[in-house]
Amino acid sequence: AQSVTQLDSQVPVFEEAPVELRCNYSSSVSVYLFWYVQYPNQGLQLLLKYLSGSTLVKGINGFEAEFNKSQTSFHLRKPSVHISDTAEYFCAVSDVTGSSNTGKLIFGQGTTLQVKP
Amino acid sequence: ETGVTQTPRHLVMGMTNKKSLKCEQHLGHNAMYWYKQSAKKPLELMFVYSLEERVENNSVPSRFSPECPNSSHLFLHLHTLQPEDSALYLCASSQGTGNYGYTFGSGTRLTVV
């Protein structure tokens, strides 16, 4: 079975500063990895995903994440944040084969990014 | 437009009412999911439907009753709810087992009074 740990529940940062949201996972099988963003009173929107290939994945809104297999991490980064990036961010993992857990995504607890002016 | 539409967006209901939440997807996906999101709590998977068959039910109280009449529609029927059932209810869909990711709707904000 897989599990996901988001190491920070809240990350405050000033506008135009860089940010990193941390995500670690555990799994006995190969995984796919995802970051979702949730704005207030909205559903989750896919930011980016790692399925295979380059370990550096670029997503929407200037975000990127790097898959590090040896450290079982998939940290999300942005070089310069905007007020509009204030939201909840969720890391998620799934089993590559799709055979376990009904292939469902396992979500982390979420990290609230608070961008201050 | 995310491809997954949930109605209503907001719902206030009394504990003795019966109401239904609706989810519709236009992505050609064959699996659909209900999640509950409460304040300060992680996402809780409630039900999974694959090819219109319920494949998972995570110990959800019987006052929540899902229905999947076809691969494009998913309902959550509610009756005699409790105030602690107030939450954001999210619907999602996926192709196959979902290991390539889900597409979420915008959610229904439910308040039980």
Side-chain angles (χ1 to χ4, degrees):
Chain A
Q2 297 91 39
S3 67
V4 178
T5 302
Q6 291 183 241
L7 298 161
D8 306 294
S9 59
Q10 292 190 352
V11 174
V13 64
F14 287 105
E15 194 174 18
E16 296 183 8
V19 71
E20 178 179 82
L21 305 184
R22 296 180 293 168
C23 172
N24 284 90
Y25 69 93
S26 67
S27 177
S28 57
V29 298
S30 295
V31 296
Y32 295 143
L33 294 154
F34 308 82
W35 275 100
Y36 284 85
V37 61
Q38 184 181 32
Y39 300 103
N41 291 312
Q42 294 290 322
L44 277 67
Q45 179 184 0
L46 182 66
L47 265 181
L48 50 78
K49 61 185 175 184
Y50 172 78
L51 301 182
S52 65
S54 172
T55 55
L56 183 63
V57 181
K58 294 191 183 296
I60 61 172
N61 302 340
F63 284 93
E64 63 181 32
E66 185 156 20
F67 170 51
N68 188 319
K69 188 174 181 179
S70 62
Q71 297 187 6
T72 61
S73 68
F74 191 55
H75 300 332
L76 181 70
R77 302 185 183 100
K78 186 169 182 177
S80 175
V81 294
H82 303 290
I83 295 286
S84 59
D85 292 323
T86 296
E88 187 86 8
Y89 291 79
F90 292 91
C91 182
V93 63
S94 72
D95 166 17
V96 166
T97 65
S99 61
S100 67
N101 297 325
T102 323
K104 65 177 180 278
L105 294 187
I106 306 299
F107 286 91
Q109 307 266 59
T111 297
T112 302
L113 175 63
Q114 301 163 322
V115 181
K116 304 176 181 180
Chain B
E1 175 59 57
T2 63
V4 178
T5 304
Q6 289 187 246
T7 53
R9 288 298 309 277
H10 301 273
L11 178 62
V12 179
M13 60 186 287
M15 290 190 284
T16 58
N17 291 158
K18 287 186 181 181
K19 296 285 184 182
S20 295
L21 309 185
K22 180 182 177 182
C23 177
E24 188 173 357
Q25 59 96 2
H26 306 280
L27 300 167
H29 290 168
N30 57 12
M32 297 185 79
Y33 311 80
W34 279 117
Y35 278 87
K36 177 184 178 183
Q37 188 179 33
S38 306
K40 309 295 183 186
K41 284 186 173 182
L43 285 163
E44 299 174 51
L45 179 63
M46 300 175 73
F47 300 105
V48 179
Y49 275 84
S50 178
L51 298 173
E52 302 152 41
E53 222 179 291
R54 191 189 311 179
V55 296
E56 189 156 336
N57 174 348
N58 282 335
S59 304
V60 180
S62 59
R63 57 186 184 269
F64 295 91
S65 175
E67 179 189 2
C68 187
N70 56 62
S71 59
S72 299
H73 294 87
L74 184 65
F75 295 89
L76 188 62
H77 304 299
L78 316 171
H79 65 97
T80 58
L81 294 192
Q82 305 298 312
E84 60 265 28
D85 297 322
S86 298
L88 183 67
Y89 287 84
L90 292 166
C91 173
S93 70
S94 71
Q95 184 57 35
T97 56
N99 57 328
Y100 291 111
Y102 301 169
T103 301
F104 282 85
S106 296
T108 294
R109 172 66 64 185
L110 174 67
T111 303
V112 181
V113 296

